[in-house]
Amino acid sequence: MRTEEIKQTLVLIKPDALKNSLTGYVLSQLSEFHTGLRFAGAKIVHVSRMLAEEHYAEHRGKVFYPSLIEYIMGLLHYPDEPNRRRVISLVYQGPDAVKKMREICGPTNPHVARETKPGCIRALGTVVPLKDAAGNEIGERMDNLIHASATDNEAEREIKLWFRPGDFPPFMRSYPTEINAEDHYYFKNGNLYITHEPGSVCLIAPGDVVWKSDFDALRLLSKGLPAASSLEAVAAKYLMNYTVES
Ligand code: CDP
Ligand code: MG
């Protein structure tokens, strides 16, 4: 297999696209016919706050961040229907996967998308004013229907955040994996344990196939040492679709 053929990118069909029944349209725009890219992974996800905050970690502290987290969690588009809060999370692969997907999505701001790239997916989005408690406009949020990784490094971080190796056919795993030979890792209230605590969730058991980078992080974190990934970034995918979030 040639290496350019296994470039992958993460795509999220966001809650506004589901709410506006644009899923079928978006998927057809992303099809191999239009993009030359193939499906590698797919899942329907009820986005937890932990996953949302890890996914958009680079935007922490920005004025639109709290609203962005509520948007991706589906709280804004389905305020009274928790059962409908979900995104479609996809991995596509093929030559220039990241660039091709970003191109078909278009510019982040739907107004700019309509002006500069009519026909792109984000041209169908909206821009919503953000107000403070006193009602003053403090910025805007861009409801732009779709997320696509911006760089190969971002794609790797995001794919490992949303997907386990076992979510892909074995020949479609792009990053190094490892089989956990001995340890159990449990998670509860933001803490990592190597023995079962009442109420904890088992993230990884012996025999599980895991991303090597996650395993490296857990080994260090379990010894209280700093690691390249946060515990939340590793744990979020194991707790995916675990409980209803508010
Ligand atoms: O999604 P993309 O990589 O194109 O843009 P970003 O700058 O990484 O921002 C992530 C997401 O935050 C955007 O897709 C928008 O939904 C949202 N955003 C926003 O609401 N207001 C902004 N001023 C910038 C981004
Ligand atoms: Mg981005």
Side-chain angles (χ1 to χ4, degrees), residues 43-243:
K43 48 169 89 163
I44 312 293
V45 182
H46 178 73
V47 179
S48 66
R49 190 165 289 276
M50 187 194 290
L51 178 60
E53 290 183 352
E54 285 303 323
H55 179 75
Y56 283 127
E58 65 167 308
H59 297 302
R60 249 171 230 163
K62 295 184 185 167
V63 69
F64 61 86
Y65 176 76
S67 187
L68 175 61
I69 296 302
E70 293 190 353
Y71 165 35
I72 201 68
M73 290 177 72
L75 295 165
L76 300 175
H77 292 88
Y78 295 106
D80 304 318
E81 297 169 290
N83 55 315
R84 296 182 72 184
R85 291 177 200 150
R86 67 234 186 275
V87 305
I88 301 176
S89 178
L90 303 163
V91 175
Y92 285 88
Q93 85 174 37
D96 287 329
V98 165
K99 189 162 161 268
K100 280 186 188 154
M101 249 344 145
R102 289 289 288 192
E103 260 168 31
I104 205 136
C105 292
T108 306
N109 185 325
H111 291 164
V112 176
R114 277 192 279 282
E115 277 159 32
T116 62
K117 223 169 177 229
C120 72
I121 294 168
R122 285 173 157 182
L124 297 176
T126 54
V127 178
V128 185
L130 290 175
K131 298 191 173 158
D132 64 13
N136 302 313
E137 202 169 315
I138 52 167
E140 45 191 24
R141 191 189 70 246
M142 293 157 194
D143 291 1
N144 51 14
L145 306 168
I146 188 164
H147 167 86
S149 310
T151 63
D152 285 341
N153 283 344
E154 195 174 293
E156 177 170 352
R157 187 189 77 84
E158 293 176 350
I159 289 167
K160 289 176 175 175
L161 179 65
W162 288 79
F163 287 84
R164 312 174 192 203
D167 296 325
F168 300 104
F171 52 89
M172 284 182 146
R173 292 170 196 158
S174 289
Y175 311 111
T177 59
E178 198 168 322
I179 297 177
N180 175 19
E182 63 238 33
D183 296 315
H184 282 88
Y185 290 97
Y186 300 92
F187 179 88
K188 184 184 166 187
N189 296 337
N191 295 309
L192 181 66
Y193 302 93
I194 50 171
T195 51
H196 182 256
E197 280 285 305
S200 66
V201 177
C202 181
L203 304 179
I204 296 174
D208 289 349
V209 181
V210 291
W211 300 122
K212 183 179 180 310
S213 54
D214 279 357
F215 209 28
D216 292 343
L218 289 181
R219 277 198 198 104
L220 290 168
L221 292 167
S222 67
K223 296 186 180 105
L225 298 168
S229 303
S230 68
L231 175 57
E232 285 75 14
V234 176
K237 65 184 157 295
Y238 294 100
L239 301 169
M240 208 170 251
N241 290 333
Y242 191 68
T243 53

